[in-house]
Amino acid sequence: DTEVTQTPKHLVMGMTNKKSLKCEQHMGHRAMYWYKQKAKKPPELMFVYSYEKLSINESVPSRFSPECPNSSLLNLHLHALQPEDSALYLCASSQGASSHTQYFGPGTRLTVL
Amino acid sequence: DQQVKQNSPSLSVQEGRISILNCDYTNSMFDYFLWYKKYPAEGPTFLISISSIKDKNEDGRFTVFLNKSAKHLSLHIVPSQPGDSAVYFCAAIRTGNNRKLIWGLGTSLAVNP
């Protein structure tokens, strides 16, 4: 089973809203990732959690705030986003941060009005 | 600086024939290469990978070839099926901690019935 689940599938929010994206995996993976993907571009890494600790922050603006409550869950808290933040947000996991294969969820399509 | 390059933005192939997707890289420190397939509005799906110490890896209809001296890899799909129509991303990982996927820009494959 290589399933990563993400909720919600679609999200529309205003620039003053606060919302959260959720990701879950039950593969026993110890590394989890947030990516942002714009149309016709490859995924762009945002954050990496390894053993529930933030190990990489790719200079992401503070309006994006990740959280890893436990080894199976990863959240991305959103606040005061801009319309240019509209994108597909992808969660991925791997056995460890040194593993070469990452498994992706279906993504959350975010629209910021 | 694009370390992983997919020079063909699109490819069209007849059903039943071979699809060959190409990828070039510049960094000799990459030690794993991966291919992902992506349908619109979905997360990338891992297809196949190859270690830098091998020159071929096969999984069903998918075969990846690696030519280290030319810094080139290719994904062969035989026989191609209409359901293979998607964007294919080549990605590479470098030796070291916090292994970060370096992505190509993708090739859009259309398999025509």
Side-chain angles (χ1 to χ4, degrees):
Chain A
D1 182 12
T2 54
E3 187 176 11
V4 176
T5 58
Q6 289 186 244
T7 55
K9 194 169 174 62
H10 300 278
L11 179 62
V12 179
M13 60 187 289
M15 289 190 284
T16 58
N17 292 157
K18 285 186 183 180
K19 297 284 185 183
S20 296
L21 309 184
K22 297 187 183 303
C23 174
E24 191 166 2
Q25 58 88 15
H26 292 289
M27 296 177 279
H29 288 176
R30 302 314 300 263
M32 296 185 76
Y33 309 77
W34 279 116
Y35 285 86
K36 173 182 176 179
Q37 186 170 27
K38 293 274 202 179
K40 301 189 188 302
K41 293 284 177 67
E44 183 184 332
L45 183 65
M46 299 174 73
F47 302 103
V48 180
Y49 272 82
S50 179
Y51 290 86
E52 299 159 51
K53 289 190 176 2
L54 183 65
S55 61
I56 294 180
N57 176 342
E58 290 284 299
S59 303
V60 179
S62 60
R63 57 186 185 268
F64 295 91
S65 175
E67 179 197 17
C68 189
N70 61 54
S71 60
S72 301
L73 293 173
L74 187 66
N75 298 322
L76 186 63
H77 303 297
L78 314 172
H79 175 53
L81 295 195
Q82 304 296 311
E84 58 265 28
D85 296 322
S86 299
L88 182 68
Y89 286 84
L90 295 162
C91 175
S93 71
S94 65
Q95 282 191 317
S98 60
S99 303
H100 67 275
T101 305
Q102 295 176 23
Y103 296 93
F104 285 80
T108 293
R109 170 67 59 189
L110 174 67
T111 303
V112 182
L113 301 176
Chain B
D1 177 28
Q2 194 73 22
Q3 297 184 65
V4 176
K5 299 175 189 177
Q6 294 178 256
N7 292 319
S8 299
S10 63
L11 175 67
S12 183
V13 169
Q14 209 62 30
E15 181 179 4
R17 307 293 287 267
I18 184 171
S19 295
I20 300 177
L21 296 103
N22 294 305
C23 180
D24 298 294
Y25 62 96
T26 58
N27 192 332
S28 57
M29 295 296 289
F30 289 139
D31 57 353
Y32 261 100
F33 302 90
L34 303 92
W35 285 94
Y36 283 86
K37 170 182 175 180
K38 188 177 183 309
Y39 294 117
E42 292 186 11
T45 301
F46 169 69
L47 273 179
I48 192 168
S49 64
I50 188 166
S51 162
S52 61
I53 62 172
K54 301 202 170 189
D55 54 19
K56 178 182 174 182
N57 189 23
E58 191 172 351
D59 184 1
R61 295 186 299 115
F62 302 93
T63 303
V64 57
F65 296 91
L66 175 62
N67 182 333
K68 277 189 74 174
S69 60
K71 294 193 175 70
H72 176 84
L73 61 153
S74 60
L75 175 68
H76 292 213
I77 307 174
V78 182
S80 301
Q81 299 172 354
D84 296 328
S85 299
V87 177
Y88 289 78
F89 287 101
C90 172
I93 279 196
R94 202 155 68 177
T95 307
N97 294 327
N98 286 323
R99 294 156 71 95
K100 182 176 161 180
L101 282 173
I102 309 298
W103 298 80
L105 295 181
T107 296
S108 178
L109 173 67
V111 179
N112 306 307

